[in-house]
């Protein structure tokens, strides 16, 4: 400590003086209701700063009569940006009358109004508050940033996202406080005025609300007794008043008005056990006699405060409390108890006034600072208001509390305090060294509660720079505190987030403020000895209050009623000075650090302070003065000051420079760098200017300068020197700090010279040969004084060098731990650890905190220095062998992942010097080549793979695109053409998939059903007009059969392609059944009555149309129950479409959102179609879940599932069918016994009496069979617990016929009486039961390869048996047999024909025969029909087996048969087989082809479909059209984005959808319910992979390589595909790779699981890829001829840089050796063992730099240095080694030589004893120990030996 004589009252210059007026005020004036506000006359008056802290509302509420003036108040906080980055502006919340205005403004006061709110009654208080919403799944809670507006009876909460809530308040609120959990309310109290007649428990006074939708719950307090008997109870003491509340740390300070004591509490969530205690406790309170036992909280505190306040600081307790409370989340958040208090009546729906008695008068506070008696608080209520206070009567159930306050500290009683001395200010402050203090101010005292628990009381003028003027009425002191949000009662001041200490003085031009030591986030209250007394004259205007401090800005209120806003200066602006200050602060003891910072702050911010450039000079001078240097006498620091501005600061006896100048100035000029540069300038040479002689500075030797050892930092010089050296090493790792390094090295050299550290001087010389001169002043430090110096333990004689350390690592030498300062030398730490990991292969380097490669330096003597011996013993093996344990790739991965974890980014990498960055770049390069697909986003960005990082955060391409495409057409003018329901497809991707032709437009043309068809009929001469019209209408009827079949195909084509807008109805294109007849384009209509049109012809077509529209909706869309109901049409005609729409929503999974109420509503309407759609939809959405609610819903519609006694419901037949299939879907794959039993019986359900079950029985039986198959899907013989049902035998019987079994079960009553209509007798009607039973067998034994069952299904091979089977059923049997023998299916015609029995093969006509063979005993018709159906069945099974695989062999085989059938149709033999049969088989083949090629848009299949589309006459009926267009839809499934899966559940769905019996007309549901045709959706899966260029965000082509797993049919294989492409089924794949050379490679490994790829495909299949540099995309450059085969730019860059350095060396212009170090590190990296091993392990890996480039560079450097040696360099080298001065011109080359050859310092060489050697071999031995390279030895040997002969060995 220096004495005070040299301390003067110093001033700090504040910046940015601006007039201040709250922004909200101006906005209010312009507000429509401004007349009533009358704000124009409003002046901020003196009362603003003096309201009472507890009762004062935000700011202060001014009380003049309301008519005269409106009160206004405002509060400011530091701006918070939405993104979360640093922003530098204030946010203001301004309140006036019933308006709240929230504005934001930047430094220069360009302000914007962000939000303005107007409420109904006057605003009492407005504040910011963040509510946390608990998330069920994630740990991180969601934060809702809100603004809360308190009115008399309610509080409005508005969140930034735009939600608003109104919470009614059940009591009068005196004050609201924001906490980190929610809001805290203080009830304004009047109950103590009224004598409590029945003595009862006092009501709680403090309440919390954790979210505006939650209940307001009382606060609980836990006050620790002295003996640990902590009591938990409600806060019900009206004498406690909150004076301060802080969010982080969560602290409350209360004031007891009776006792005049302050107490500090910690606020936290309640623990469950405390809730229980409180609730039990309050139950006992019911009876009066218990009141005595419940000593009130204050009494408890009173006993505490008799002087035995718990010792220890609130902060110490706080931390322990906090650590517990984090783990306990409040249980009440999960389950809120329903409380039956009056509050429950205040539900959100009521108006705020209900349930609260009206209060007369607005509650007001009118305190001034001189009358602070609590009596003034009484508020008169209307008489009935007391009842509203008693809402917590003991009879009602208590409310569960949510927050609790823990007692931390109570002040001791002091006699000097008057009664009403409540603290006027409370704040938390942090000093320079991070200790926190809680301060509060009384009337004339400032109390500081220190971290240790001591109370420091300051009285009078506090000489801290916290000053108040005794003449003024109130203390106005700034407060400082760590939080970004003010949360004190903001009367005169709020809490800033950056300390501001000020001192108020006379105000003339500038505002002069007193000293404040401050760093970014800290302020200090120091002893009064630091700063001398300040006296003020009171001139005209003076500051009379401060308010609204934010960050480092504050508003001053002046006595003439104006306000001014000023900025307090920073502690330092230049990066270099900041670093040095941090370092020095870290190393010094705290007290000294604080004093040093105070001095620096005063010097730096003196009025008229330094310019930016001279900040460093000022710092050096200031620091050296504090170290005891006389900077006047030291030539270079004196010059520093001449360069800088002459600031009237620093040294106390500052000599004013003479006006006339002096000789010294001239000498200074001559010795300046400028002069030296000028002398060597070519112009100077051209002019032949003689170099000027520099006089030797006079005082170099004549008088030596000694240091003043009494100064503050003298004893710490070595420590400071070492820290500055480490900062110097740290700055070397940032190539942007070159300027700073040069400044710093000058200071270091001076200190090193004075401390006589030869090794350091030599080290700096090698770094900066030009800067470090040999003759400079030294200052003598007495030996005696050297003893006083504190040499820290971490000080090392050898200078730590980061480059040298890296170089040793690369060479594989042993290294010592590198010293570092935590938080200051972060780069050094990063570089050291990354090299340890990557080069030395030590994975433990980064795994734990305390690394063996670093030792931390701290300010005590406790530097953690491991002893070297122990260290080397332990770790020597590390350095000689690169660890083989881990693969290289994992090291590179580990390094990259660790670097992102510590926050290293690409920008940091670019500023690292290139030699140091090389190992890191190498690892990055490695990872970029072979990235893993699951790395976090930051890692992908670091390695330059934005494609991967974008993939990780996955944006959905389809979403954006579809919305844009659909909105292209303005809604008003939609031409009819556009509404064909296919305009929301993603054109961009489809144009990439099918780029050569217009097949997509063709498909649209074929599938559109919204425009009239062309009816082209030529009028024959003999036909009358009437006949002609009839003919046209008949033709139209034929065409309409086709039109009505189109929607099913359209639904497939547009599958999942649209995201609806929730506010608009889904557009459903209308089904157009009219025609236009050329040439006059007259309309042809079916409703003219000329011909008979079947009734309800179009009802199923409309249904399909609705399904098609609904299937456009993608499963990822955001729709809800309301939207589904909103789509319900008003017109009854559209009900069928809506029914289809509902089914579609079920198929894409949205129907689960529909409320049960609505489902019930739809079903009770009794509309048949709606019921079908709804039942199927709901079941599909709940596929395989066995959902009970849905089961009940379905059972109502299936008589067999109802109890036998139930009333018979009249359920339409088709609805029953739908319900049965629904049961199958819901129980799919579950093998549920009861369901299976019922369904098995239903297949053979006999017709009942009357007309029951007599019509369309086939479809019901089929449905039961399909449902049974689904329930037992693929279970085969493993049907657990069903052996007694004999399922396969029973099914076999249904298939081949036989005697009907006796009906078991509860329904036998029903079937006793036979049907009156149908005579079946006791035999099974095979025509009804066979299809269902066959398919049930196929599904139960699907893929089981069960031969015995398959043989049952073999086609009969005798004519006799063939006659018993319908040919159609042969198709089903063949199909079923092949599905069971799944693995036997082969894609060739030989296999297909093998399914045909021999008798048919030998005798049947081949498909190509032109004439008929004749035969008597064989029925040719039977054989021919059996033949075609068996082949069709086999082909259909081929379609199932290879569905969605695009298998070429299967395609060719099927295509051959399809063309054969086509020819057959036109052959003369067609009549035998029957046109109908041939058409059916052709349709089946077309469907099989489409299944194999699903989604691929194959051209040949498209041509077949188009050919079939054109056939409209003759045999072509609705069903065939349906099949053909379904084939077309499958071919373009989902616009090429979807394909079919072959999983069991998909095959079941496809069997339902593609059942090979097609309806004859549009209302035909006899054999198969038409609605089931849509179940194909359950088999569709997204398989399109679309590469999207990450830079342009557009889809593009990319080459991908798909690797298949090996199977029994083929070995592991790879194939190349050009994406966008459909992938094969994922379970067949091993991996997918995006291949080079155009794009960066990317591997998706499916052996770990397919979930990653599945999620990519389900989100639109977007796979982000990144184009390599120098490559063009396949679109721009299809053949790859235009790409630059160039290396990427960055690597070129480092080569170029290195090369410049070599050139500079050749020209001998190296003034600093920085770049040479980098080249040396590059060479060492490439020759390091770890790199060599990597190259041998991975030889084909791209080299980072050209292999020719390195040797060339190396040679050039060697040659240059050797030439220098020969040209006289050896002389200067010799004089260096022997310690003599060398001539200046040689200095820089000498340094380059020393660095490049790693020559040791003369001291080390002497220690090695090299001098006396006589021959070379002896030298070699000695060199071995010194670890110097042999090439250096070869060059040094001649000098060391002095005798050229002895070079010979």
């Amino acid at each position: 400590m220096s004495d005070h004589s040299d301390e003067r009252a110093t001033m700090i210059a504040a910046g940015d003086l601006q007039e201040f007026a709250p922004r909200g005020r101006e906005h209010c004036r312009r507000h429509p209701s401004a007349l009533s506000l009358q704000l124009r006359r409003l002046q901020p008056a003196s009362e603003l700063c003096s309201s009472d802290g507890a009762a004062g509302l935000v700011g202060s509420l001014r009380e003049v009569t309301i008519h005269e003036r409106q009160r206004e108040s405002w509060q400011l906080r530091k701006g918070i940006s939405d993104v979360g980055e640093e922003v530098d502006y204030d946010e203001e919340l301004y309140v006036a009358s019933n308006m709240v205005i929230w504005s934001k403004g930047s430094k220069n006061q360009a302000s914007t109004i962000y939000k303005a709110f107007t409420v109904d009654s006057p605003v009492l208080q407005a504040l910011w508050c963040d509510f946390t919403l608990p998330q069920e799944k994630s740990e991180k809670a969601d934060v809702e940033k809100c603004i809360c507006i308190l009115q008399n009876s309610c509080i409005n909460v508005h969140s930034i996202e735009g939600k608003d809530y109104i919470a009614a308040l059940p009591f009068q609120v005196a004050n609201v406080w924001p906490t980190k959990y929610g809001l805290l309310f203080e009830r304004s109290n009047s109950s103590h005025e009224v004598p409590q007649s029945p003595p009862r428990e006092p009501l709680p006074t403090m309440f919390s609300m954790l979210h505006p939708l939650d209940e307001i719950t009382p606060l609980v307090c836990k006050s620790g007794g002295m003996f640990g008997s902590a009591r938990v109870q409600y806060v019900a003491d009206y004498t406690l008043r909150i004076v301060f509340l802080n969010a982080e740390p969560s602290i409350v300070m209360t004031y007891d008005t009776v006792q005049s004591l302050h107490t500090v509490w910690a606020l936290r969530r309640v623990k469950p056990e405390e809730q229980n205690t409180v609730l039990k406790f309050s139950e006992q309170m019911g009876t009066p006699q218990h009141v005595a036992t419940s000593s009130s909280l204050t009494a408890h505190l009173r006993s505490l405060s008799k002087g035995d306040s718990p010792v220890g600081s609130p902060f110490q307790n706080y931390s322990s409390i906090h650590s517990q409370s984090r783990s306990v989340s409040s249980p009440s958040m999960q389950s809120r108890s329903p409380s039956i208090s009056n509050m429950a009546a205040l539900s959100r729906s009521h108006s705020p006034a209900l349930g609260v008695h009206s209060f007369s008068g607005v509650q007001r506070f009118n305190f001034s600072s001189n009358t602070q008696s609590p009596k003034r608080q009484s508020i008169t209520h209307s008489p009935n208001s007391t009842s509203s206070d008693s809402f917590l009567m003991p009879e009602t159930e208590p409310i569960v509390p949510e927050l609790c306050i823990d007692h931390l500290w109570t002040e001791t009683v002091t006699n000097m305090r008057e009664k009403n001395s409540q603290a006027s200010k409370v704040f938390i402050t942090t000093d320079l060294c991070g200790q926190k203090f809680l301060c509060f101010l009384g009337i004339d005292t400032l109390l500081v509660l220190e971290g240790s628990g001591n109370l420091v009381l300051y009285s009078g003028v506090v000489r801290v720079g916290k000053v108040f003027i005794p003449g003024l009425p109130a203390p106005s002191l700034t407060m400082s505190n760590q939080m970004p949000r003010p949360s004190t009662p903001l009367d005169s001041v709020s809490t800033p987030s950056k300390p501001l200490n000020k001192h108020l003085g006379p105000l003339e031009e500038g505002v002069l403020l007193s000293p404040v030591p401050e760093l970014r986030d800290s302020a200090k209250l120091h002893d009064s000895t630091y700063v001398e007394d300040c006296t003020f004259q009171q001139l005209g205007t003076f500051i009379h209050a401060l308010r609204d401090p934010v960050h480092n800005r504050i508003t001053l209120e002046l006595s003439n009623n104006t306000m001014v806003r000023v900025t307090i200066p920073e502690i330092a602006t230049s990066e270099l000075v900041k670093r040095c200050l941090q370092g020095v602060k870290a190393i010094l003891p705290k007290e000294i650090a604080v004093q040093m910072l105070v001095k620096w702050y005063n010097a730096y911010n003196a009025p008229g302070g330094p310019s930016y450039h001279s900040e460093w000079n000022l710092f050096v001078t200031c620091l050296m003065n504090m170290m005891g240097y006389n900077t006047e006498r030291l030539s270079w620091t004196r010059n520093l000051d001449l360069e800088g501005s002459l600031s009237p600061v620093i040294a106390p006896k500052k000599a004013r420079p003479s006006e006339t100048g002096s000789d010294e100035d001239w000498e200074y000029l001559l010795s300046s760098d400028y002069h030296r540069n000028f002398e060597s300038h070519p112009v100077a040479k051209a002019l032949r200017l003689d170099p000027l002689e520099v006089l030797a500075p006079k005082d170099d030797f004549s008088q030596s300068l000694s240091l003043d050892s009494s100064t503050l930092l003298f004893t710490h010089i070595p420590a400071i020197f070492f820290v500055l050296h480490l900062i110097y090493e740290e700055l070397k790792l940032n190539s942007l700090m070159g300027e700073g390094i040069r400044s710093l090295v000058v200071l270091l050299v001076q200190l090193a010279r004075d401390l006589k550290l030869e090794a350091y001087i030599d080290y700096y010389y090698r770094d900066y040969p030009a800067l470090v001169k040999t003759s400079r002043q030294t200052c003598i430090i007495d030996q005696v004084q050297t003893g006083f110096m504190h040499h820290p333990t971490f000080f090392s004689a050898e200078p730590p060098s980061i480059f040298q350390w890296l170089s040793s690592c690369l060479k594989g030498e042993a290294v010592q731990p590198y010293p570092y300062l935590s938080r200051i030398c972060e780069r050094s730490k990063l570089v050291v650890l990354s090299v340890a990991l990557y080069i030395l292969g030590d994975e433990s380097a980064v795994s734990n905190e305390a690394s063996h490669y670093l030792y931390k330096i701290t300010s005590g003597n406790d530097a953690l220095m491991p002893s070297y011996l122990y260290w080397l013993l332990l770790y020597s093996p590390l350095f000689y062998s690169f660890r083989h344990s881990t693969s290289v790739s994992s090291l590179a991965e580990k390094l990259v992942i660790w670097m992102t974890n510590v926050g290293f980014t690409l920008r940091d990498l670019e500023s690292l010097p290139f030699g140091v960055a090389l190992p890191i770049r190498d690892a990055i390069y490695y990872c970029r080549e072979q990235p893993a697909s699951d790395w976090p986003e930051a890692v992908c960005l670091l390695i330059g793979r934005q494609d991967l990082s974008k993939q990780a955060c996955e944006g959905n391409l389809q979403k954006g695109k579809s919305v844009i495409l659909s909105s292209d057409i303005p809604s008003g003018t939609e031409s009819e053409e556009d509404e064909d329901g296919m305009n929301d497809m993603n054109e961009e991707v489809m144009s990439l998939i099918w780029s050569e032709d217009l097949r997509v437009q063709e498909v649209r043309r074929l599938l559109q059903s919204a425009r009239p068809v062309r009816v082209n009929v030529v009028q024959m001469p003999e036909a009358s007009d009437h006949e002609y019209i009839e003919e046209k209408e008949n033709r139209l009827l034929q065409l309409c059969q086709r039109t009505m079949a189109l929607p099913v195909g359209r639904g497939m084509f547009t599958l999942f392609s649209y995201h609806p807008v929730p506010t608009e109805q889904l557009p459903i294109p209308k089904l157009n059944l009219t025609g236009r007849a050329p040439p006059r384009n007259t309309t042809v209509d079916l409703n003219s009555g000329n011909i008979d049109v079947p009734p309800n012809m179009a009802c199923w077509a409309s249904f399909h149309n609705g399904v098609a529209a609904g299937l456009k909706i993608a499963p990822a869309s955001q729709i809800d129950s309301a939207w589904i109901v909103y789509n319900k049409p008003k017109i009854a005609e559209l009900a069928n479409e809506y029914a289809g729409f509902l089914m579609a929503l079920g198929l894409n999974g949205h129907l689960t959102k529909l409320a049960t109420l609505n489902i019930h509503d739809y079903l009770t309407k009794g509309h048949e179609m709606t019921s079908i759609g709804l039942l199927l939809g709901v079941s599909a959405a709940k596929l395989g879940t066995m959902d009970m609610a849905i089961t009940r819903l379905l059972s109502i519609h299936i008589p067999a599932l109802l109890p036998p006694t139930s009333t018979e419901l009249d359920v339409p037949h088709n609805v029953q069918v739908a319900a049965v299939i629904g049961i199958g879907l819901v129980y799919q794959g579950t093998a549920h016994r009861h369901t299976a039993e019922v369904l098995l019986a239903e297949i053979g359900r006999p017709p009942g009496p009357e007309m029951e079950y007599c019509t369309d029985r086939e479809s019901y039986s089929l449905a039961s069979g399909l449902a049974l198959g689904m329930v037992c899907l693929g279970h085969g013989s493993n049907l657990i617990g069903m052996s007694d049902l004999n399922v396969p035998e029973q099914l076999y019987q249904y298939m081949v016929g036989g005697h009907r079994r006796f009906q078991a079960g509860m329904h036998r009553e029903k079937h006793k009486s036979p049907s009156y209509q149908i005579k079946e007798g006791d035999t099974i009607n095979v025509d009804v039961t066979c299809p269902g039973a066959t398919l049930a067998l196929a599904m139960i034994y699907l893929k089981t390869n069960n031969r015995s069952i398959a043989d049952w299904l073999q086609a009969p091979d005798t004519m006799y048996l063939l006659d018993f089977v319908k040919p159609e059923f042969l198709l089903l049997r063949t199909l079923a047999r092949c599905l069971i023998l799944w693995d036997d299916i082969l894609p060739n015609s030989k296999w297909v024909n093998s399914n045909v029995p021999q008798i048919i093969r030998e005798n049947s006509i081949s498909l190509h025969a032109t004439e008929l063979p004749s035969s008597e005993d064989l029925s040719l018709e039977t054989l021919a029909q059996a033949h075609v159906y068996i082949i069709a069945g086999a082909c259909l099974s081929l379609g199932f087996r290879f569905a969605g695989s695009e298998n070429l062999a299967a395609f060719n085989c099927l295509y051959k048969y399809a063309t054969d059938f086509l020819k057959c149709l036109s052959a003369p033999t067609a009549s035998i087989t029957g046109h109908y049969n041939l058409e059916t088989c052709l349709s089946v083949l077309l469907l099989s082809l489409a299944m194999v090629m699903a989604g691929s848009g194959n051209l040949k299949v498209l041509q077949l479909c188009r050919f079939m589309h054109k056939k409209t006459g003759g045999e072509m009926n609705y069903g065939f059209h349906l099949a053909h267009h379904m084939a077309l839809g499958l071919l373009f499934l989902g616009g090429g984005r979807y394909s079919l899966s072959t999983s069991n559940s998909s095959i079941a769905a496809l069997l339902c959808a593609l059942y090979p019996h097609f309806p004859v007309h549009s209302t035909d549901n006899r054999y198969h319910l038409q609605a089931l045709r849509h179940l194909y959706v359950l088999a569709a899966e997204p398989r399109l992979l679309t590469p999207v260029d990450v830079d342009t965000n557009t889809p593009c082509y990319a080459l991908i390589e798909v690797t298949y797993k090996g199977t029994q049919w083929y070995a592991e294989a790879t194939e190349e595909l050009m994406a966008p492409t459909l992938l094969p089924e994922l379970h067949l794949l091993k991996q997918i790779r995006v291949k080079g050379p155009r794009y960066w490679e990317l591997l998706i490994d499916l052996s770990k699981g397919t979930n990653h790829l599945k999620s990519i495909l389900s989100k639109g299949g977007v796979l982000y890829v990144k184009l390599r540099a120098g490559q063009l995309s396949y679109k721009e450059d299809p053949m790859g001829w235009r790409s630059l085969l160039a290396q990427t730019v960055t690597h070129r860059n480092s080569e170029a840089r290195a090369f410049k350095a070599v050139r500079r060396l050749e020209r001998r212009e190296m003034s600093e050796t920085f770049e040479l170090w980098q080249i040396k590190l590059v060479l060492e990296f490439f020759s390091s063992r770890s790199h060599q091993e990597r190259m041998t392990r991975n030889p084909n890996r791209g080299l980072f730099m050209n292999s020719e480039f390195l040797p060339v560079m190396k040679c050039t450097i060697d040659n240059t240095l050797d030439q220098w040696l020969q040209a006289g360099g050896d002389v200067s080298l010799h004089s260096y080694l022997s310690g003599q001065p060398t001539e200046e011109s040689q200095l820089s080359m000498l340094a380059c030589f020393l660095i490049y050859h790693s020559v040791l310092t003369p001291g080390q060489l002497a220690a090695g004893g090299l001098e006396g050697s006589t021959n070379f071999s002896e030298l070699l031995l000695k060199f071995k120990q010194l670890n110097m390279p042999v090439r250096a030895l070869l060059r040094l040997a001649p000098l060391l030996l002095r005798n050229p002969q002895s070079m010979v060995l």
Side-chain angles (χ1 to χ4, degrees), residues 1291-1368:
L1291 288 173
Y1292 180 67
Q1293 195 185 9
Y1294 282 147
M1295 194 170 74
V1296 296
H1299 201 69
R1300 188 191 300 285
R1301 302 204 176 172
F1302 183 59
Q1303 269 273 299
M1306 49 188 184
H1307 288 282
R1308 52 173 179 266
E1309 295 304 317
K1310 285 194 177 173
H1311 299 299
K1312 277 200 173 147
S1313 54
S1315 163
Y1316 306 146
Q1317 313 288 328
I1318 299 171
K1319 178 137 179 65
E1320 275 185 357
D1322 287 342
T1323 51
I1324 289 169
N1325 183 347
V1326 184
D1327 288 343
V1328 173
T1329 59
C1330 178
T1334 313
L1335 290 183
L1337 272 176
M1339 285 154 86
I1340 293 172
Y1341 288 92
L1342 181 63
K1343 298 185 188 175
T1344 56
N1345 299 308
N1346 185 321
R1347 294 257 164 222
S1348 50
I1349 301 288
D1351 290 343
W1352 288 356
L1353 297 161
Q1354 185 95 39
D1357 51 359
T1358 64
M1359 199 61 219
Y1360 175 72
L1361 290 172
L1362 269 175
D1363 275 337
F1364 280 99
V1365 187
K1366 256 179 151 177
E1368 265 186 83

Side-chain angles (χ1 to χ4, degrees), residues 1403-1406 1409-1415 1420 1424 1467-1473:
N1403 296 299
S1404 168
I1405 40 175
S1406 73
T1410 47
E1411 48 193 66
L1412 312 174
S1414 56
S1415 167
L1420 276 182
T1469 51
S1471 54
I1472 300 182
T1473 323

